[in-house]
Amino acid sequence: MVGTKDDILKDVASYYAGRIAEHGQTAAGVDWNSHAGQMMRFNQLLKVVDSSQPYSIADIGCGYGALLDYLSSMGHTIRYVGVDIAVPMIEAARSRFASSPGVAFRLGNSPDEMVDYSVASGIFNVRLGRSDEEWLAYLIETLDAMNATSQMGFSFNCLTSYSDADLMRHDLYYANPLDLFDLCKRRYSRQVALLHDYELYEFTMIVRKQL
């Protein structure tokens, strides 16, 4: 039986709650292989922002707030909204940044407000038992929500269908970057960039709004 979006979110939330319980507030706790890879992903995703001026940003699937650490280290002036569907992730993030001004963490899958930019790192990778068709529909619905709440643009990453076949896992989703580039160009903006030239088996999509 095909699951609803709520079913998918419940399953994914349970998966990530287990990861942080096992690995704590680390890259492995949000299902990345290394801290270095996590930082590389942030660098790609943040190419959507203009950091020369203050901006607001929603971090969809924020985990324990690693992106906020990265943004702080870069000296960006921001208003930050972290969103995650896993209760332990939000609890950890709120504990870490309890006294930080201009920072909010919310349980859910949408910031529920307009921001300048939205980013999503890794949230489309772990499909568990869902079919390609079911997962792609969920992915597009999530992109629609990011587009609706992002005034200046948004970015996201996916594992790539160009990965080595013998290394691909059945519980992960490998997206076709060309299909998603076409989708973003036709559905969201004429200003879209596909970044597929860094040393990970994934790609990043940058969608800039025409203001």
Side-chain angles (χ1 to χ4, degrees):
M1 184 178 70
V2 175
T4 65
K5 181 179 180 180
D6 287 343
D7 293 332
I8 292 174
L9 292 175
K10 182 179 178 180
D11 290 346
V12 173
S14 178
Y15 175 85
Y16 280 102
R19 295 298 293 179
I20 195 170
E22 182 177 358
H23 299 284
Q25 298 171 26
T26 65
V30 287
D31 217 28
W32 293 123
N33 291 331
S34 70
H35 176 74
Q38 191 179 36
M39 297 302 102
M40 188 181 299
R41 292 179 179 94
F42 291 162
N43 182 56
Q44 301 298 323
L45 289 163
L46 291 174
K47 289 178 179 178
V48 73
V49 309
D50 175 8
S51 61
S52 66
Q53 54 190 350
Y55 63 89
S56 57
I57 186 168
D59 181 7
I60 311 301
C62 64
Y64 58 87
L67 178 64
L68 183 53
D69 289 323
Y70 185 83
L71 289 165
S72 298
S73 73
M74 297 294 287
H76 292 196
T77 303
I78 60 168
R79 180 173 63 84
Y80 172 95
V81 182
V83 180
D84 206 285
I85 57 176
V87 172
M89 294 291 189
I90 290 297
E91 290 177 343
R94 285 174 175 167
S95 176
R96 295 182 70 232
F97 298 100
S99 60
S100 299
V103 171
F105 289 96
R106 296 172 184 165
L107 183 66
N109 64 325
S110 173
D112 294 328
E113 65 174 282
M114 288 298 298
V115 292
D116 293 325
Y117 305 100
S118 292
V119 299
S121 183
I123 69 171
F124 301 128
N125 295 351
V126 183
R127 67 170 175 184
L128 303 174
R130 308 295 173 179
S131 67
D132 283 353
E133 295 76 17
E134 188 178 3
W135 194 255
L136 179 60
Y138 161 68
L139 186 158
I140 294 172
E141 186 175 352
T142 303
L143 295 183
D144 285 346
M146 292 178 68
N147 178 64
T149 55
S150 305
Q151 183 175 359
M152 300 179 69
F154 63 94
S155 60
F156 63 96
N157 54 32
C158 293
L159 297 174
T160 178
S161 58
Y162 289 95
S163 298
D164 296 339
D166 59 330
L167 298 177
M168 296 169 78
R169 287 167 40 186
H170 294 298
D171 60 329
L172 300 180
Y173 180 73
Y174 298 86
N176 185 317
L178 305 183
D179 288 349
L180 286 183
F181 177 81
D182 185 73
L183 172 83
C184 290
K185 288 282 284 188
R186 295 178 184 276
R187 197 174 183 117
Y188 305 126
S189 175
R190 296 174 63 183
Q191 300 176 1
V192 179
L194 168 59
L195 310 179
H196 208 327
D197 59 347
Y198 54 105
E199 297 178 4
L200 296 170
Y201 288 96
E202 66 175 49
F203 62 90
T204 297
M205 201 75 68
I206 305 292
V207 179
R208 294 184 177 88
K209 299 289 189 71
Q210 296 172 291
L211 300 179

